[in-house]
Amino acid sequence: GSGGGQTTETTEPAATEEAAEETTETTETTETADAAAEAESTGDTYTIGVLFKTLSSPYWQLMQSGLEEQVAQLDNVTIEIFGAESEEDLTGQLNLMENMITSGKYDALCVAPITPTNLISGVVMANEANIPVVNIDEKFDMDALAEAGGYVVGYATSDNVAVGEMAAQEIMNQFPDGAGVCIVEGIAGATSGELRRDGCRDALEAAEGYTVLDVQPGDWDRQTALDVATNMINKYGDELDAIFTANDTMAKGVLQAMINTGREDIFLVSTDADTEVQEAIAAGQLIAVVQDPGGIAFSCVEQAVAALESGNYGSVDEQPEDVLIPATVYTQDNISELMGTE
Amino acid sequence: MKARSFKSYWEKFGTLAIFIVMWGVFAVLAPGSFATAGNFVQIITQSATIMLLACGEFFAILLGGIDLSIGSVAAFTGMITAKLMVEGGMNPFLAVLLGAVLGGALCGFINGTLINLTGVHPFIITLGTQSVFRALTLIISNAQATFGMPKAFTQIFGGLWNGIPMAVVIALVVALLCWFVTSKLTFGRNLYVMGGNRDAAWFSGINVKQHLLMVHTISGLCAGICGAVMAARLGAAEPNTATGAETEAIAAAIIGGTSFFGGKGKVPNVIVGALILGLISNGLNMCSVPTFYQNLATGLLLIAAVSLDQAVSRKK
Amino acid sequence: MKARSFKSYWEKFGTLAIFIVMWGVFAVLAPGSFATAGNFVQIITQSATIMLLACGEFFAILLGGIDLSIGSVAAFTGMITAKLMVEGGMNPFLAVLLGAVLGGALCGFINGTLINLTGVHPFIITLGTQSVFRALTLIISNAQATFGMPKAFTQIFGGLWNGIPMAVVIALVVALLCWFVTSKLTFGRNLYVMGGNRDAAWFSGINVKQHLLMVHTISGLCAGICGAVMAARLGAAEPNTATGAETEAIAAAIIGGTSFFGGKGKVPNVIVGALILGLISNGLNMCSVPTFYQNLATGLLLIAAVSLDQAVSRKK
Amino acid sequence: METLVEMKDIRKEFPGVVALDQVSFDVKAGEVHLLLGENGAGKSTLMKILSGIYTPTAGTIVMGGQEYPALTPKKSKELGISIIYQELSVVNELSIAENMFVGKLPTKKLLSFLPVVDKAAYMKQAEEAARRVGLKKPVNTLVGDLSISEKQMVEIAKALVENSKLLVMDEPTSSLTEEETKNLQNIIRELKAEGIGIVYISHKMKELREIGDRVTILKDGKTVATKEMSEIHSEQEIISMMVGRELQSTFFGKEEVVYKPENIIFRAEDIRRKDKKTQGVSFELYKGEVLGVAGLVGAGRTELMNAIFAGESYESGRIWLDGKEVRIGTPYTSIKNGIAMITENRRETGIFPNFGIKENLVLVNRLLKSGWGGFRGMIHDRQDQRIAEQEREKMQIKCSSLSQLITELSGGNQQKVIVGKWLAADARLLIFDEPTKGIDIGTKTEMYKIMRSLAEQGVGVIMISSEMPELLGICDRIMVMNQGQKKGILDKSEVTEELILQTATM
Ligand SMILES: Nc1ncnc2c1ncn2[C@@H]1O[C@H](COP(=O)(O)OP(=O)(O)OP(=O)(O)O)[C@@H](O)[C@H]1O
Ligand SMILES: Nc1ncnc2c1ncn2[C@@H]1O[C@H](COP(=O)(O)OP(=O)(O)OP(=O)(O)O)[C@@H](O)[C@H]1O
Ligand SMILES: [Mg+2]
Ligand SMILES: [Mg+2]
């Protein structure tokens, strides 16, 4: 890498202390540039920079905690995790990635682009700096990436379309004779939400007897979802049998709407389940298709380490294989497994 | 004389007239689902939080300033209130008093103090504190929602009371107080003076700094109460709630005829302004307008509503 | 006399001084990663798009107005430009000329026309068109990014030229033009005049509506160019890009000493204002400040930067 | 008589200017103390120190046995000082009544503990005060809808309801006509009798003798003299103390104007406004003449000219300039066609507060030189500087440099800049609306000369004025208006003040 990292001084005690302080404060594993340089020279410990879409939402929080937990068990890897200010801050995320590359601190990067294309030029920059990049969760548009001359060495995700399809399947299981379904998607234009929506809608429409009554944006926001769901319930009344939401924050809003309107009979399927949703599942109020964000991210880190160790940093011509981390349907019956791990 | 009285009527009831016209349009488009009594209550309920924020924002705009931090303040105070109850086991009323009322007022007080001390335009100060309060919310909550508040809390601040949503009751009480303050108290009248001509206010011995401080404290207070209401309504305090809500609050105030340059505006109209915003988003839902087209329609209706107001009031 | 000249120096170079002070602070905190030549270029590059937006916003604020639509306009024009090339197979230069330059100017022209026709404050009109342009972007793109633009495009508008990022070159050329227009042309001076006292400007024979129209057209134009640069830099036109960018552009203008009340400000300082914003976020990244604390620090530094400016310039 | 306030050895410095130097000034109960001096002499500054807006650099203020190094507006109010500022400080968004009670609204107790605004009480007092100053509009009218003279009456009423011990009036009559001025003088006499001390600043010589008890004259920030009025024997004596030399008479030999159709420069026919404030006025202006326009407050003189120049509320009517019909449009089109108008509201429609004197002076000139309605064309600094120098010379503007901000000038000097701006516009028809407002006697004479010489050069000159002597002094004919209608045109051979009043009320 260029920029920092050329300094070969031994780590001073003060610096380590500082680093330790930061660690306890922020629950992140940090490493100074000096230490990174040291690691590079000995060749057996790696500093990996991880860039999420954002850190201020439950899904990414879960990914962070899951990843940190699992990485703690490896003794040759330290990670630093960043996220954009919000899931709308496309250029902010790109700037962050560029800064991570320029800082010269990281041996490899694992990134979850907000959209399939917003970090492409960042990947190209990393490739030029000879830093391997692994793709987390949101898949790069591989054609666009290749066209720009960039490449990644690995990719792990859970299939968002499959998530939507699993939700549709659950709805079909619950109502074998057909049902009216509403979908609360994310903010207009957010890819993961759209894929989940499409998976669910297409699967339902392909089946006989199921109608998708309405699709409305819940903006990933609990209150918006509450209002939208209330409007849906009022509008469709008894026609409405089930609701699918593209994330757990909105599911909580929808659940509140069901309670407010006395329509707790509606079959609610969430994507993901934070602790609050888990409790609601345990209470039998909804079910959820839960992805394993920690597992996804950890797989990416493993792929990054593998790349560093093998020295194969990828190329434009090879596409990495998708590692699909399966999602699981959790209901009142099996939710205890998930709650145990928390 | 005739023209004059029309003008003053329109000034009082123009916003309401626009609300009614819009309601009529949607009622024609979606009679079955939109034009029902239940849905009317729904619109009001969904506007309650914006009403609360808009009340506070109104004060800031009345002085010719602005408060961009209210969304963050609402999230922050909601989180503190929830944490006081859930983690501190505090009595709901005490928690609301401390977390929402005092907490919100304190946030606003900080805004006001910074504006007075630095002499920087409120836009920049409150843009800064917007980041700061949001960051504090994320830090104290670690970006996780806090839930499990006592039933008493969710019922009293977010539930129903004889079929009337408490959020609406609270919003209207706050609005009534704000109306009283701005139209009946010397303090409130002084704000109009300051907004119209700050020099003149200072010349006539009004303590402009104290008034500004008070205004931002009130703005923070309203946001604080909104935070508690949101948390109660949702049954949880969400760290990312009310992002960008300040824009809606400002829009509500302006739709309600508040002048951006300060010195002009009335609380009841601001409330109707908030209702118009609620009406638009509810109406578009009810007409099942596809997602992207909702944004389009919202933008166009917003412009239409305010232009109509302007056109009619300029005519005479 | 001494005091006077210090004040006029500070007016010219105050923003720059603040930039240098901040740079110094970060350089001490993170010497290895921050204080490198490469990172300095990086900061400028990352500020280029905000510079472009801030140039346009500056014009709107100079009149005492505002333009909230620039983020959406940038997304819209970026998308059109990309589609013209990718789906229409158009020559990159022609596409930029039509999609970004003309398209952006047209969007601004629409804003200006609406403001003139309705007499409504720009805040509301551009808040409305913000929604509208974003919706149009989502509709024409079906919320999908458009990519696969010719190399010529991405190279010329987003690549490097002898090691100098083209985005920066374009931003600086636009800034230079804006500076020329505002400081050397009668038109530019008329804008300051209008910003200072619009009624007096009207009575002195300035065609205020034409000027306002022109200002918003320029604002749209800058946003349009920014859209093309963004698309080139990302290698794709993203429908949700530049959301909330208007706030940053406004902040850049204000940090650069532009007065919210209109009639005061200078383009070079606005450019430095944009650099300060870029510096803050880059510096915090480089110091490895955890994400939430970055928000906190951003807010505080923003307030600090503008307060410092105010404090020094008021002193004398 | 008891001394109400004493200002001792006051000094005030602004960056680059010493506005006041060793000035001592006192006011006794029940007297009217005139404060006179040329523009920029420091009158307003001295009074702003008394009202607490400015902090003196040195000196003290003694009031009620207490010595203060400086006051604040609040403190000053508490001490019983009220002031009518030269620059109006009304709030356009509020009603007349509320403006009168800014910062001092009466309250009553709601439920016997909560003090709420007592609207009934202040409305009643406001009506009373409005009646007293002769303001005819209902007191719930928004001040923004008033004419400038009405605003000035609001300011006077505002000071009256304060029940203060000391009342400062900084050019209270600058926008008033004789009627209202007389009315104000009566009020002042009543106040005097109540034992209130009054400081009175004015450039209208005629008013002074009638009401003054003592006079203090300032020049360049220093006291020239403080004298009993009885020691003063003529107006000339005051003028020479102010100006430092004798002044020529303000009356001019006028040239013979030939009233023949081919000599018509400007003609207006049946001008009507939608708001009925002008109801079909026609007049013509002949080569070589200065046409005066007289009327009481609210006669609609400003409105007539605004309709012609700015198309404000324009309904119907036609105008011709140099025999060519000109379409009534906006100021922009009028200026392009060679019509210029100096508006009467200096603060709201005259000055550009964010600019220096130079830019304020050259604005219209520069605009006319640039093409495409001001869009094209570059700023030419040296040329601008030259033009600005010329105008400063002509208008005798007192400033430390041409780059000084216009807001840092004294009121009269600001007015001179505005007049200068329009003189630099090289118009074919110049409409002056109260151009000498707040301008000192020395410069007024200069301005009259300029107007006459413009007329001689064949430029059309119309002057609206509320000062009868100046109308009589320099105009060839005087158009008298009332209630939006032309009541007659009087020739210089016949015109007297009585005749004007008579015509107006016909
Ligand atoms: N804020 C200021 N900054 C700088 N100089 C000022 C300021 N205010 C007044 N001055 C200067 O102080 C001097 C006295 O001004 P002042 O307004 O007291 O004059 P004045 O006697 O009231 O004149 P006028 O008859 O024109 O109203 C002038 O030279 C003026 O330029
Ligand atoms: N007949 C009337 N009754 C009541 N108000 C009137 C009448 N005619 C005119 N006015 C009011 O008087 C004002 C006329 O403007 P203005 O006083 O500026 O006229 P003017 O002749 O230019 O007098 P001046 O310039 O001395 O104030 C307007 O506010 C108008 O509403
Ligand atoms: Mg004065
Ligand atoms: Mg007039």
Side-chain angles (χ1 to χ4, degrees), chain D residues 101-149:
Chain D
F101 287 89
V102 160
K104 50 177 187 283
L105 284 164
T107 55
K108 62 178 181 205
K109 291 278 197 294
L110 184 70
L111 308 172
S112 72
F113 76 97
L114 194 61
V116 296
V117 171
D118 189 350
K119 192 166 179 186
Y122 77 73
M123 287 300 270
K124 205 164 138 261
Q125 286 183 57
E127 266 161 28
E128 168 65 25
R131 196 190 46 70
R132 201 169 166 198
V133 297
L135 188 62
K136 297 193 181 63
K137 288 269 168 70
V139 292
N140 60 5
T141 313
L142 282 190
V143 162
D145 294 337
L146 299 185
S147 72
I148 186 155
S149 33

Side-chain angles (χ1 to χ4, degrees), chain A residues 284-295:
Chain A
Q285 292 172 304
L286 77 164
I287 70 163
V289 181
V290 178
Q291 311 171 88
D292 176 12

Side-chain angles (χ1 to χ4, degrees), chain A residues 27 55-58 61-62 64 85 88 185-189 194 197 213-217 221-224 226-232 234-236 249 252-253 256 260-261 274-277 279, chain B residues 30 33 38-39 42 45-46 49-50 131 138 142-148 158 160 230 232-243 281-292 294-295:
Chain A
T27 73
L55 288 174
S56 58
S57 86
Q61 281 286 319
L62 273 179
Q64 183 185 8
E85 209 173 296
E88 285 106 65
E185 62 168 322
I187 210 161
E194 292 194 338
R197 173 200 69 196
L213 298 169
D214 210 346
V215 179
Q216 296 280 348
D221 180 65
R222 190 166 179 158
Q223 172 146 337
T224 313
L226 165 59
D227 293 339
V228 164
T230 311
N231 293 345
M232 286 171 167
N234 288 344
K235 182 166 181 189
Y236 297 104
T249 308
K252 292 178 285 188
Q256 190 72 41
N260 289 352
T261 50
D274 63 8
T275 29
E276 200 178 347
V277 171
E279 284 180 18
Chain B
S33 51
N39 192 49
Q42 184 69 14
T45 317
Q46 293 176 355
T49 47
I50 288 301
S131 278
L138 289 168
N142 197 24
Q144 303 291 331
T146 300
F147 56 93
L160 290 174
M230 276 179 167
R233 231 189 123 208
L234 295 174
E238 287 282 351
N240 276 319
T241 197
T243 314
S281 71
N282 176 289
L284 292 173
N285 279 176
M286 287 306 182
C287 296
S288 292
V289 176
T291 306
F292 303 158
Q294 287 199 12
N295 290 349

Side-chain angles (χ1 to χ4, degrees), chain A residues 81-328:
Chain A
I81 304 176
F82 294 99
E85 209 173 296
S86 71
E87 282 193 49
E88 285 106 65
D89 192 8
L90 307 186
T91 34
Q93 199 196 22
L94 175 61
N95 290 347
L96 242 166
M97 183 172 180
E98 290 173 351
N99 292 343
M100 290 168 83
I101 298 165
T102 310
S103 74
K105 287 183 195 167
Y106 309 103
D107 302 307
L109 294 177
C110 297
V111 297
I114 292 176
T115 75
T117 44
N118 78 310
L119 290 186
I120 284 179
S121 58
V123 175
V124 174
M125 185 176 168
N127 294 154
E128 280 164 6
N130 205 27
I131 299 173
V133 182
V134 179
N135 184 191
I136 315 176
D137 195 73
E138 178 89 49
K139 194 176 187 177
F140 279 107
D141 191 298
M142 287 303 169
D143 297 336
L145 185 61
E147 202 166 338
Y151 47 87
V152 291
V153 282
Y155 175 57
T157 190
S158 63
D159 186 346
N160 277 312
V161 177
V163 166
E165 286 166 356
M166 284 165 79
Q169 193 54 53
E170 289 302 317
I171 292 170
M172 291 190 259
N173 293 346
Q174 181 75 15
F175 303 99
D177 307 327
V181 183
C182 282
I183 300 175
V184 180
E185 62 168 322
I187 210 161
T191 326
S192 52
E194 292 194 338
L195 291 178
R196 289 168 203 166
R197 173 200 69 196
D198 291 346
C200 182
R201 186 180 54 195
D202 296 349
L204 286 171
E205 281 173 351
E208 191 73 26
Y210 296 92
T211 36
V212 176
L213 298 169
D214 210 346
V215 179
Q216 296 280 348
D219 296 353
W220 302 130
D221 180 65
R222 190 166 179 158
Q223 172 146 337
T224 313
L226 165 59
D227 293 339
V228 164
T230 311
N231 293 345
M232 286 171 167
I233 292 169
N234 288 344
K235 182 166 181 189
Y236 297 104
D238 292 341
E239 279 177 78
L240 178 58
D241 299 310
I243 297 178
F244 169 60
T245 68
N247 83 350
D248 42 5
T249 308
M250 297 190 293
K252 292 178 285 188
V254 174
L255 186 58
Q256 190 72 41
M258 285 159 43
I259 295 167
N260 289 352
T261 50
R263 284 296 309 272
E264 279 150 275
D265 60 301
I266 291 173
F267 184 64
L268 173 61
V269 186
S270 168
T271 308
D272 296 325
D274 63 8
T275 29
E276 200 178 347
V277 171
Q278 288 170 20
E279 284 180 18
I281 294 173
Q285 292 172 304
L286 77 164
I287 70 163
V289 181
V290 178
Q291 311 171 88
D292 176 12
I296 294 171
F298 185 64
S299 160
C300 292
V301 170
E302 281 180 328
Q303 292 179 54
V305 172
L308 288 170
E309 280 179 341
S310 69
N312 174 15
Y313 289 2
S315 77
V316 192
D317 313 314
E318 20 176 335
Q319 269 217 16
E321 232 168 84
D322 296 359
V323 177
L324 288 181
I325 309 292
T328 322

Side-chain angles (χ1 to χ4, degrees), chain B residues 59 62-63 181-202 204-208 210-212 214-215 262-263, chain D residues 74 91 94 98-99 101-107 117:
Chain B
F59 278 87
L62 188 57
L63 288 197
V181 167
T182 51
S183 68
K184 297 291 166 198
L185 292 190
T186 315
F187 165 71
R189 302 315 300 171
N190 286 349
L191 300 182
Y192 285 88
V193 175
M194 272 177 74
N197 187 341
R198 192 167 298 196
D199 284 345
W202 186 63
S204 48
I206 294 174
N207 189 331
V208 293
Q210 247 176 38
H211 280 68
L212 184 135
M214 196 66 190
V215 157
Chain D
K74 205 170 169 180
V91 184
L94 296 183
E98 282 190 297
N99 261 285
F101 287 89
V102 160
K104 50 177 187 283
L105 284 164
T107 55
V117 171

Side-chain angles (χ1 to χ4, degrees), chain D residues 11-73:
Chain D
R11 183 182 172 85
K12 176 70 188 170
E13 292 169 14
F14 291 110
V17 198
V18 179
L20 294 171
D21 186 16
Q22 291 278 316
V23 173
S24 293
F25 182 75
D26 67 311
V27 189
K28 300 199 178 83
E31 76 160 349
V32 175
H33 195 152
L34 303 176
L35 183 57
L36 306 179
E38 288 184 290
N39 295 135
K43 306 179 294 291
S44 299
T45 306
L46 188 66
M47 289 304 109
K48 283 180 183 167
I49 286 172
L50 189 57
S51 75
I53 290 182
Y54 290 152
T55 309
T57 315
T60 52
I61 302 157
V62 184
M63 188 155 189
Q66 275 267 77
E67 200 165 303
Y68 303 93
L71 295 174
T72 62

Side-chain angles (χ1 to χ4, degrees), chain D residues 203 436 439-448 467 470:
Chain D
H203 292 291
T436 58
I439 288 187
D440 62 32
I441 183 90
T443 315
K444 261 186 205 169
T445 319
E446 278 316 299
M447 274 186 63
Y448 299 149
E467 267 194 272
E470 87 179 2

